[in-house]
Amino acid sequence: MSITIIAAQGTEMLFRFENESTTVWSFPERGTWATHKPTYRGNFAPQIARNVIEMYSEKGETILDPMVGGGTTIIEAKLLVRNAIGIDINPKAVEITKEALKFNHHPVSNQTIKTGDARNLSFIKNDSIDLVLTHPPYMNIIKYSEKLEGDISHIGSLPMFCDEIEKIAKELYRVLRPDRYCAILIGDTRRSRHFVPLAYNVMKRFLKAGFVLREDIVKVQHNCSSTGRWVQQSKNNKFYLIMHEHLFVFRKPKESEDMSRVRYSRDM
Ligand SMILES: C[S@@+](CC[C@H](N)C(=O)[O-])C[C@H]1O[C@@H](n2cnc3c(N)ncnc32)[C@H](O)[C@@H]1O
């Protein structure tokens, strides 16, 4: 994606982007425009949010990120004049996101940020959200709190983690409008030198919740250590360093839809 600043007036910034057109995305340099910072551990690049928001929503619509972290999705929503709801189990993340939203942008849109649990979004009505974009923890690879009740980044068991993801998927399915999109970024891991297909298992739970798979975008990771100890360990132990994540884009089918057309993209 190439980025050109076409105007800067006070804190209002306008950018011209060339958005992605294939299923492989690679951003060697993460965006640092507006209030984006790399400091929230494990946050995703603003380019991901920008591509997804521009592809799957319109100005004035409402975007939900129920695991908002440092607020990347919501900053982009504001810049792109979308209303947004950001939720995180961790009050510190909520404060960081609120702080990151302290910039002016016109036209104005509304952003609501609050502490909450992605497994229970009862304050959001059925079929009311136009786009979901989110980025769960990758099991317990990074722990996002000391031990907050409900923080799924403390779950190290794959089936137990997927059970909680399934609860989140069901809630996201409920709140999303039919025929609209839910995008999630998720990676894999390795245990005892063997590949653990976390992303594949998470994808299956979203299909089980009723979604159909629209895209599987491979996102190249650039923040991994490509030199030193890990390279040597991987060579010694005959494994490759994982340097990609998956951005799954799911669609919630329409009620009257002929599902036979998409039978191979849904839960079988
Ligand atoms: C990978 S981070 C999100 C990073 C975000 N995309 C960004 O760019 O800053 C995952 C977030 O999920 C949150 N989380 C964990 N369990 C949660 C739950 N049950 N409900 C809501 N948020 C949760 C963590 O506190 C963490 O902030």
Side-chain angles (χ1 to χ4, degrees):
M1 178 198 280
S2 71
I3 304 163
T4 318
I5 298 181
I6 55 174
Q9 300 168 303
T11 50
E12 183 179 345
M13 283 155 278
L14 299 171
F15 305 95
R16 185 181 294 132
F17 282 80
E18 203 182 298
N19 281 346
E20 298 303 306
S21 55
T22 77
T23 56
V24 180
W25 294 5
S26 175
F27 309 116
E29 282 173 39
R30 56 175 301 125
T32 52
W33 60 87
T35 53
H36 288 299
K37 284 191 223 141
T39 43
Y40 194 86
R41 233 183 128 202
N43 62 359
F44 59 30
Q47 289 95 324
I48 294 175
R50 180 147 297 223
N51 271 276
V52 170
I53 292 172
E54 289 201 321
M55 182 72 154
Y56 298 111
S57 71
E58 302 294 331
K59 281 185 181 164
E61 290 192 336
T62 301
I63 296 172
L64 167 68
D65 186 342
M67 290 172 275
V68 77
T72 313
T73 302
I74 313 295
I75 297 169
E76 280 306 292
K78 181 167 176 173
L79 290 169
L80 295 168
V81 199
R82 271 65 164 175
N83 302 314
I85 304 172
I87 294 158
D88 204 284
I89 198 85
N90 192 339
K92 284 188 192 148
V94 168
E95 281 319 305
I96 291 168
T97 298
K98 282 185 177 168
E99 199 57 38
L101 287 170
K102 287 185 182 164
F103 63 91
N104 295 325
H105 191 78
H106 301 283
V108 173
S109 50
N110 297 315
Q111 285 77 39
T112 304
I113 312 300
K114 54 191 268 181
T115 307
D117 189 330
R119 297 168 300 177
N120 177 2
L121 303 171
S122 53
F123 68 97
I124 304 178
K125 287 192 194 134
N126 294 358
D127 303 338
S128 63
I129 299 292
D130 299 297
L131 170 67
V132 176
L133 169 58
T134 200
H135 181 201
Y138 300 175
M139 293 204 296
N140 59 351
I141 296 176
I142 297 177
K143 294 188 183 67
Y144 285 95
S145 65
E146 284 296 317
K147 186 93 199 186
L148 263 177
E149 177 71 29
D151 179 353
I152 64 168
S153 71
H154 286 274
I155 306 175
S157 143
L158 178 64
M160 283 167 78
F161 182 82
C162 288
D163 287 348
E164 300 315 304
I165 285 287
E166 191 176 322
K167 292 176 193 164
I168 295 172
K170 282 183 180 157
E171 274 297 75
L172 297 181
Y173 190 88
R174 180 183 67 75
V175 300
L176 189 65
R177 276 173 54 200
D179 210 26
R180 300 307 293 259
Y181 298 91
C182 167
I184 65 156
L185 183 74
I186 182 87
D188 299 294
T189 186
R190 205 177 273 288
R191 294 245 174 112
S192 308
R193 303 194 297 272
H194 288 69
F195 193 84
V196 179
L198 171 62
Y200 172 81
N201 280 277
V202 165
M203 184 261 281
K204 295 279 285 175
R205 299 299 182 109
F206 272 75
L207 299 186
K208 197 173 165 202
F211 286 105
V212 288
L213 187 61
R214 178 71 168 226
E215 302 290 351
D216 174 7
I217 295 160
V218 171
K219 205 228 119 215
V220 177
Q221 272 182 301
H222 290 277
N223 55 348
C224 335
S225 117
S226 55
T227 51
R229 189 168 71 92
W230 279 108
V231 170
Q232 202 48 52
Q233 275 215 16
S234 68
K235 279 187 187 147
N236 292 349
N237 292 298
K238 299 196 188 311
F239 65 79
Y240 294 104
L241 295 174
I242 300 172
M243 280 190 62
H244 69 280
E245 294 156 294
H246 293 261
L247 179 68
F248 293 119
V249 182
F250 300 99
R251 187 175 63 82
K252 175 174 172 174
K254 288 182 264 187
E255 258 179 41
S256 56
E257 190 167 326
D258 172 8
M259 296 303 289
S260 66
R261 290 186 323 122
V262 289
R263 62 186 173 283
Y264 300 133
S265 305
R266 60 189 292 224
D267 193 29
M268 289 196 287

